[in-house]
Amino acid sequence: MRLAALIFDVDGTLAETEELHRQAFNSAFAQEKIHDRAPDLKNGWVWDEPLYGALLRTTGGKERIAAYIRDHLGVDPGPYASHIESIHRAKTKIYASLVDDGALSLRPGIRELVAEAHRTGVVTAIATTTSRANVDALVRSCFGRDAGEVFSVICAGDEVARKKPAPDVYERALELLSLPASACMAFEDSWNGLTSARAAGLACIASPSRYTQADDLSGASLVVRDFSALSVRDIAAWLEAR
Ligand code: XBP
Ligand code: MG
């Protein structure tokens, strides 16, 4: 099958974003003073690196906060949906403004892969669980262009019912691309993302990021240290020989 599109995950794949997400979550917790509004939830939430590593098993910021309330505070998160929404809104604002300030750069090889794809008529797309505002901020900051100019299709955040590792976001991206999975290559950094891509029928090149070093990525077609040794031409040849 001829290679028609590259579909990229965002967090951990386009850039090492998770430390900035963690910082934004902690700033939002401090700013929102959760305890004043919900005495059940003890105040002073701080997510350190080991805790955040464990919480990353749950994809999606709102879902991650709910998992923290349930698993670490022992409280049913159900009644706190609107609190979770407002903390997450604050977190997204903080994160986007840190990105706007230039806090992130692309992982090695990403800029070159996207440029080669564009030169050779291969479409580029995004399939991510992160919020659309975060994608817009990252692409503007790192590519200096609007996200829609760099990526023809962007599937983000709450656009699908189930987040990764469910296949929904990749299935939706394929639908918007009007392409079969066999004509595309996915790029991921985590077990959750790889599982999502594979469940949608996609081949996937994986490269572990800071928080996913211990993830099982054995379902990937190729596991690389970073994306710098890859070329679209080689990926196309591999797909055609498959
Ligand atoms: C990334 C995520 C995201 C971010 C936070 O997973 O799980 O939730 O950590 O983003 P993946 P939001 O790379 O597999 O897509 O707070 O905007 O949800
Ligand atoms: Mg990721």
Side-chain angles (χ1 to χ4, degrees):
M1 181 63 86
R2 202 182 150 83
L3 177 68
L6 307 182
I7 311 179
F8 293 92
D9 166 49
V10 173
D11 293 309
T13 299
L14 291 189
E16 283 283 7
T17 56
E18 289 300 353
E19 272 304 278
L20 208 66
H21 278 297
R22 188 173 71 84
Q23 191 183 327
F25 276 115
N26 283 327
S27 300
F29 299 154
Q31 184 183 302
E32 291 295 296
K33 298 194 175 64
I34 305 142
H35 190 257
D36 295 350
R37 296 192 285 153
D40 264 15
L41 307 178
K42 56 179 185 13
N43 212 352
W45 297 5
V46 177
W47 289 358
D48 62 16
E49 287 181 44
L51 173 59
Y52 195 63
L55 291 171
L56 276 174
R57 276 185 222 119
T58 305
T59 56
K62 291 188 288 287
E63 293 80 357
R64 190 166 300 141
I65 296 168
Y68 173 71
I69 293 173
R70 187 183 56 242
D71 302 338
H72 294 264
L73 304 182
V75 174
D76 171 15
Y80 297 108
S82 70
H83 285 76
I84 294 172
E85 287 276 347
S86 69
I87 296 167
H88 190 255
R89 240 190 329 272
K91 179 260 169 179
T92 301
K93 260 198 193 145
I94 294 164
Y95 179 84
S97 90
L98 292 168
V99 175
D100 287 346
D101 291 345
L104 295 175
S105 48
L106 295 173
R107 285 191 63 190
I110 293 294
R111 186 182 307 285
E112 292 75 12
L113 275 177
V114 169
E116 188 187 349
H118 291 172
R119 270 199 316 275
T120 56
V122 172
V123 170
T124 51
I126 278 181
T128 177
T129 59
T130 207
S131 307
R132 174 63 195 252
N134 300 344
V135 180
D136 290 342
L138 176 72
V139 175
R140 171 116 309 274
S141 169
C142 293
F143 286 92
R145 290 159 70 194
D146 287 343
E149 288 174 22
V150 181
F151 297 96
S152 310
V153 159
I154 299 172
C155 266
D158 298 326
E159 284 171 47
V160 289
R162 298 173 307 161
K163 292 187 174 166
K164 298 173 187 176
D168 302 27
V169 71
Y170 277 103
E171 285 172 352
R172 180 73 184 134
L174 290 171
E175 196 175 282
L176 292 170
L177 287 164
S178 300
L179 286 171
S182 54
C184 306
M185 179 62 78
F187 294 83
E188 276 290 350
D189 69 303
S190 69
W191 181 89
N192 276 324
L194 171 63
T195 303
S196 169
R198 299 287 293 133
L202 287 150
C204 183
I205 296 176
S207 176
S209 57
R210 172 172 181 158
Y211 276 101
T212 61
Q213 296 292 325
D215 280 21
D216 177 6
L217 301 177
S218 58
S221 303
L222 182 68
V223 180
V224 289
R225 227 175 105 90
D226 61 45
F227 302 104
S228 61
L230 300 171
S231 77
V232 175
R233 204 175 63 166
D234 290 346
I235 295 167
W238 179 86
L239 210 69
E240 266 168 51
R242 215 173 157 213

